[in-house]
Amino acid sequence: MTQVFTSNDIDALDQRYRTNLINTLSGAKSANLVGTTGEHGDNLAIVNSVVHIGAHPPLMGMIMRPHSVRRDTLENIYATESYTLNQVALGWIDKAHQTSARYEQGVSEFDAVGLTAEYLAGHSSPFVAQSEVKIGLKLEDSVSIKANDTILIIGKVVLLQVSDNAVLADGSLDYTRLNTAAITGLDTYHALVQRDKLSYAKPDQTVESITV
Amino acid sequence: MTQVFTSNDIDALDQRYRTNLINTLSGAKSANLVGTTGEHGDNLAIVNSVVHIGAHPPLMGMIMRPHSVRRDTLENIYATESYTLNQVALGWIDKAHQTSARYEQGVSEFDAVGLTAEYLAGHSSPFVAQSEVKIGLKLEDSVSIKANDTILIIGKVVLLQVSDNAVLADGSLDYTRLNTAAITGLDTYHALVQRDKLSYAKPDQTVESITV
């Protein structure tokens, strides 16, 4: 048996219920902390809308809501053209989630939640010391999404620091070693348990498991 | 110990290695099949770039590469303004992955990989019968990303069919019941194992586990 929602059904849902339903539709999302700095000090905010844009040049995107009340992170990115993304690990999902609280301007979420700001040579924005995958980005473009007045922030990867032994021979990060959290919706955190790595698909072959 | 890549290091990497590294940086991604139809019949393609855009109105985005050789899916979306997203489950990740093979025009990936096209009343694009989360979308906008000539396709959710008992009391999909696959990089599939659902964060409180 199945449950069906038409467009009218979705429109008629309670707002909070609809927010949860639509937010969970896409499935697994990454959990990353955005680190920035600006005239009011350091800021740290969790984002679950990071998307791969391309590898040549190395570009990552994230969806931001400019009309939300607190927008220090977005203002810092525009002012400095620099930010960091730091993968959230399962051991500190509570601290990462706590960064979504609306702290007063001037409060560093690093201090408020108990994570450590770390500066790496050549990059002006703070990284999260606890993260095993630290990505330094330079603002590349900011694209307006007219459908709901959100913004796609696109950054170029200019610095990367990962734990030793976390990179496989083919260049992939090894998620059997990293304790990276996945998120569904706005509040539910999951472990990633690897099931299979599959060969490049060709029309006349069946894909098979590979190891590197 | 850590491994560091500067911008120059990244530029100097072997192209295949760099593709894998950058594709795995963002962490967990959703695995969805895009279903479309057009003058050459039905098409089905795996995408791992789906991103939540907003809940009011209900919008989902995905990054597409228009300059890749085969672009039936994108042409079908433009021509019909209709498409579907279907969550990939762990039981058939091999079939889902096989849709990424470059089949000749006119070949339906549904038939080629052994998945079943299903039409639901009121929506012109095919769903994947095997999927427990079937999402019907209407093209809402198409946004050019100049940084690498990709396109952000934005659709409005107009129909939704999910397995019974898959929706929790708060509207969230229950990923302890759905066997949805997560993907990292281009080829590695994972199970989602729920660790925690956390309360709405406030500055003066500590987040805690919740159940609904």
Side-chain angles (χ1 to χ4, degrees):
Chain A
M1 292 295 294
T2 60
Q3 190 171 359
V4 175
F5 299 86
T6 65
S7 205
N8 287 339
D9 293 338
I10 294 169
D11 287 346
L13 291 172
D14 164 78
Q15 180 168 326
R16 189 79 204 148
Y17 187 100
R18 177 169 51 177
T19 297
N20 287 326
L21 179 64
I22 303 301
N23 261 287
T24 50
L25 281 191
S26 51
K29 302 187 281 194
S30 59
N32 283 282
L33 287 170
V34 190
T36 60
T37 195
E39 59 175 321
H40 302 290
D42 290 346
N43 281 96
L44 190 65
I46 192 163
V47 286
N48 54 32
S49 63
V50 170
V51 63
H52 174 76
I53 301 287
H56 322 285
L59 300 174
M60 300 173 75
M62 61 182 175
I63 306 293
M64 305 287 281
R65 284 162 180 68
H67 297 299
S68 63
V69 178
R70 242 182 78 262
R71 43 178 291 179
D72 290 347
T73 294
L74 192 56
E75 285 171 358
N76 289 347
I77 292 173
Y78 285 143
T80 67
E81 299 195 339
S82 171
Y83 60 106
T84 70
L85 288 172
N86 306 269
Q87 279 193 9
V88 173
L90 290 167
W92 39 277
I93 50 177
D94 53 339
K95 293 177 179 177
H97 191 71
Q98 183 70 43
T99 64
S100 61
R102 293 176 182 274
Y103 291 101
E104 286 177 31
Q105 200 167 56
V107 173
S108 163
E109 289 86 3
F110 284 100
D111 299 335
V113 310
L115 290 169
T116 310
E118 180 181 358
Y119 286 86
L120 300 178
H123 201 72
S124 63
S125 304
F127 294 84
V128 177
Q130 286 81 357
S131 177
E132 289 197 84
V133 180
K134 303 179 177 78
I135 309 164
L137 298 112
K138 179 181 179 302
L139 178 64
E140 184 79 15
D141 200 0
S142 168
V143 182
S144 293
I145 298 174
K146 295 191 181 69
N148 69 344
D149 290 328
T150 51
I151 293 174
L152 172 64
I153 295 288
I154 297 173
K156 182 180 177 187
V157 179
V158 293
L159 186 62
L160 173 63
Q161 184 185 292
V162 298
S163 295
D164 249 1
N165 304 319
V167 184
L168 293 168
D170 71 350
S172 303
L173 293 185
D174 184 355
Y175 285 97
T176 64
R177 297 192 186 200
L178 295 166
N179 291 308
T180 300
I183 191 166
T184 59
L186 292 166
D187 60 11
T188 309
Y189 294 82
H190 310 260
L192 288 172
V193 179
Q194 186 170 323
R195 286 293 183 86
D196 219 343
K197 187 176 173 84
L198 295 174
S199 58
Y200 186 81
K202 296 181 178 177
D204 54 347
Q205 294 178 9
T206 304
V207 294
E208 52 190 28
S209 300
I210 55 173
T211 53
V212 293
Chain B
M1 291 295 293
T2 60
Q3 190 170 358
V4 175
F5 299 87
T6 65
S7 205
N8 287 340
D9 294 336
I10 294 169
D11 287 346
L13 292 173
D14 165 77
Q15 180 168 326
R16 189 78 208 151
Y17 188 99
R18 177 170 52 177
T19 297
N20 287 325
L21 179 64
I22 304 299
N23 261 286
T24 51
L25 281 190
S26 51
K29 302 187 281 193
S30 58
N32 283 282
L33 288 170
V34 190
T36 60
T37 195
E39 59 175 320
H40 301 292
D42 291 346
N43 281 97
L44 191 66
I46 192 163
V47 286
N48 54 31
S49 63
V50 170
V51 63
H52 174 77
I53 301 287
H56 320 286
L59 300 173
M60 300 172 76
M62 60 182 175
I63 306 292
M64 305 285 283
R65 283 162 182 69
H67 296 301
S68 62
V69 178
R70 243 182 77 262
R71 43 178 291 180
D72 290 348
T73 293
L74 192 57
E75 285 172 357
N76 288 346
I77 291 174
Y78 285 144
T80 66
E81 298 195 342
S82 171
Y83 59 107
T84 70
L85 288 172
N86 306 268
Q87 278 193 9
V88 173
L90 291 167
W92 40 276
I93 50 177
D94 53 338
K95 292 177 178 177
H97 190 71
Q98 183 70 41
T99 64
S100 62
R102 294 177 182 274
Y103 291 101
E104 286 177 31
Q105 199 169 56
V107 172
S108 163
E109 288 86 3
F110 284 100
D111 298 336
V113 309
L115 291 169
T116 310
E118 179 181 358
Y119 286 86
L120 300 178
H123 201 73
S124 63
S125 304
F127 293 84
V128 177
Q130 285 81 357
S131 178
E132 289 198 82
V133 180
K134 303 179 178 77
I135 309 164
L137 298 113
K138 180 181 178 305
L139 178 64
E140 184 81 14
D141 201 359
S142 167
V143 182
S144 292
I145 298 174
K146 294 192 182 68
N148 69 344
D149 290 329
T150 51
I151 294 175
L152 172 63
I153 294 288
I154 298 173
K156 182 180 177 190
V157 179
V158 292
L159 185 63
L160 175 61
Q161 183 185 293
V162 297
S163 295
D164 250 0
N165 304 319
V167 184
L168 292 167
D170 71 350
S172 303
L173 293 184
D174 184 356
Y175 284 97
T176 63
R177 297 192 187 202
L178 295 165
N179 290 309
T180 300
I183 190 165
T184 59
L186 292 166
D187 60 11
T188 309
Y189 294 83
H190 310 259
L192 288 173
V193 179
Q194 187 171 323
R195 286 290 182 88
D196 219 342
K197 186 175 173 84
L198 295 174
S199 58
Y200 187 83
K202 296 180 180 179
D204 53 349
Q205 295 177 8
T206 303
V207 293
E208 51 190 29
S209 299
I210 54 173
T211 53
V212 293

